């Protein structure tokens, strides 16, 4: 079967300035990121960065359902299970290293990089979107870090950017995998613009017609003309802001989980979040709490380096493979986690996940 790829094109605009278009081309998997896709996108962004004719970059997903639903956890599952079709025992290290290097490049990209966050934006998809210089959401945007459902944890820089949200909100989102809409993304700093989906083609034309001699200002001006925030759906996070903060305003993750699960408010969004946490991986809850505590005041690069260590460690423990099996392989949605609940997780088990795999001078992301 042909490996899903990323489609690239360059559109000539005003004064021969060019707009680089990158489109994730795996709509059947909701544009989930394979290692090949990551590597191709990284190489093209590097080339466009060095090309003076490329004034700005546009990143989007193919199809009408998703920008990107996450990383290729099915490939990681096969690697963890020793599937001979998986290229090498070091696949998890190669995969996460490439993914985080790409995400860091997007965060630090020197040219305007517009991310069209239409449809599902989850996990690794949010990793691509979070670092864009102009992050656009639409009426269909559905954003989440749902790793608690598979036994991973919010990675792709989330240990850093969840800490930049109002106190407690990042912890709540990580523990529950809560789904956000466009208004929530704008309120929490995960998006910069709301533009209706139907305006996409006209927006591309306007960018091509703009004077891109001052790219950042020109791109911002065009996006501003197309923005219609009054059409964004009502938010969910701010409506429950005090509740979310109160639920996690404790020093201990087990107590925060107990508070969330014991909350009896009759609200569909809160109830869905409770159910996700109740069925989720107990170790993940600890990792959410721990990683946000560790990276409250660190740099983005430090967070990525720590996440690489933890993500590879997750592939060497049982829960991640079990979570992917239950959700995406056998699809029975009955994961058998290694601990019955959060209160039953010993501190020693958490420390085992956090144990360093490399000396600082040998770390694969030491150059960030």
């Amino acid at each position: 079967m042909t490996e899903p790829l990323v489609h690239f094109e360059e559109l000539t605009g005003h004064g021969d300035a060019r707009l680089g278009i990158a489109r994730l081309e795996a709509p059947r998997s909701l544009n989930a990121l394979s290692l090949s896709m990551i590597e191709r996108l990284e190489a093209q962004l590097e080339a466009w960065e060095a090309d003076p004719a490329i004034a700005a970059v546009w990143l989007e997903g193919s199809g009408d359902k998703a920008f990107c639903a996450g990383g290729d956890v099915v490939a990681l599952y096969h690697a963890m299970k020793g599937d001979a079709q998986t290229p090498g025992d070091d696949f998890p290290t190669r995969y996460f290293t490439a993914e985080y290097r790409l995400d860091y490049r997007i965060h630090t990209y020197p040219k305007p990089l517009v991310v069209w966050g239409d449809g599902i934006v989850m996990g690794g998809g949010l990793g691509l979107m979070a670092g864009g210089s102009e992050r656009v959401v639409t009426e269909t945007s559905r954003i989440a870090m749902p790793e608690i459902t598979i036994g991973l944890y919010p990675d792709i820089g989330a240990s850093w950017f969840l800490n930049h949200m109002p106190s407690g909100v990042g912890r709540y989102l990580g523990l529950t995998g809560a789904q956000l809409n466009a208004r929530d993304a704008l309120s929490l700093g995960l998006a910069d613009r709301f533009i209706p989906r139907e305006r996409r083609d006209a927006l591309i034309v306007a960018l091509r017609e703009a004077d891109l001699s001052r790219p950042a200002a020109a791109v911002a001006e065009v996006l501003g003309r197309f923005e219609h925030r009054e059409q964004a759906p009502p938010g969910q996070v701010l409506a429950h802001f005090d509740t979310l903060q109160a639920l996690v305003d404790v020093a201990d993750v087990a107590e925060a989980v107990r508070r969330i699960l014991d909350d009896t408010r009759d609200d569909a969004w809160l109830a869905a979040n409770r159910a996700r946490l109740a069925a989720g991986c107990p170790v993940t809850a600890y990792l959410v709490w721990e990683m946000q505590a560790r990276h409250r005041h660190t740099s983005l690069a430090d967070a990525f380096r720590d996440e690489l260590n933890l993500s590879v460690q997750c592939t060497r423990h049982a829960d991640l493979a079990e979570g992917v099996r239950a959700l995406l392989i056998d699809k029975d949605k009955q994961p058998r986690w290694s601990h019955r609940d959060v209160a039953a997780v010993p501190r020693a088990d958490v420390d085992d996940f956090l144990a360093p795999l490399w000396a600082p001078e040998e770390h694969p992301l030491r150059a960030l």
Side-chain angles (χ1 to χ4, degrees), residues 69-273:
D72 190 356
V73 294
V74 172
L76 286 169
Y77 172 84
H78 290 303
M80 288 183 283
K81 290 299 183 180
D83 190 326
Q85 295 180 355
T86 302
D89 293 338
D90 65 341
F91 178 77
T93 298
R94 292 192 295 115
Y95 181 87
F96 287 118
T97 299
E99 183 182 23
Y100 299 166
R101 186 178 287 124
L102 169 61
D103 292 341
Y104 188 77
R105 178 179 292 277
I106 291 173
H107 275 275
T108 58
Y109 207 63
K111 297 181 178 183
L113 197 160
V114 181
V115 182
W116 183 249
D118 185 58
I120 295 170
V121 185
M122 296 186 182
L126 188 53
L128 296 178
M129 181 174 162
S133 56
E134 293 282 3
R135 302 160 300 175
V136 182
V137 284
T138 76
E139 67 275 15
T140 71
S141 296
R142 187 152 57 95
I143 299 169
M145 292 297 292
E147 287 78 8
I148 191 126
T149 63
I150 61 168
L152 193 56
Y153 69 100
D155 60 329
I156 48 80
S159 303
W160 180 82
F161 66 70
L162 289 177
N163 268 309
H164 287 71
M165 294 179 179
S167 178
V169 173
R171 282 180 169 179
Y172 180 85
L173 298 181
L175 288 173
T176 65
Q179 293 189 7
L180 310 176
N181 62 23
R183 173 58 66 186
D184 295 321
L186 292 167
S187 299
L188 295 175
L190 291 176
D192 305 294
R193 311 277 185 175
F194 178 89
I195 299 176
R197 168 188 273 188
E198 65 180 15
R199 300 290 283 158
R200 182 264 179 201
D201 292 349
L203 177 54
I204 293 287
V205 171
L207 288 171
R208 296 180 68 181
E209 293 175 346
D211 180 0
L212 294 174
S213 59
R214 296 175 62 241
V219 169
E221 189 278 328
V222 171
L223 293 176
R225 285 195 279 118
F226 279 76
E227 188 163 20
H228 287 282
R229 288 199 178 202
E230 74 281 0
Q231 295 183 27
Q236 302 155 120
V237 171
L238 292 188
H240 299 96
F241 186 69
D242 292 343
T243 296
L244 306 190
Q245 288 194 317
L247 290 173
V248 298
D249 186 21
V250 292
D252 178 72
V253 63
E255 175 62 16
V257 169
R258 186 193 65 77
R259 285 191 181 192
I260 295 170
L261 296 182
D262 288 350
D263 181 43
T264 59
R265 290 173 179 82
D266 184 15
D267 178 272
W269 187 70
L270 294 174
N273 298 340

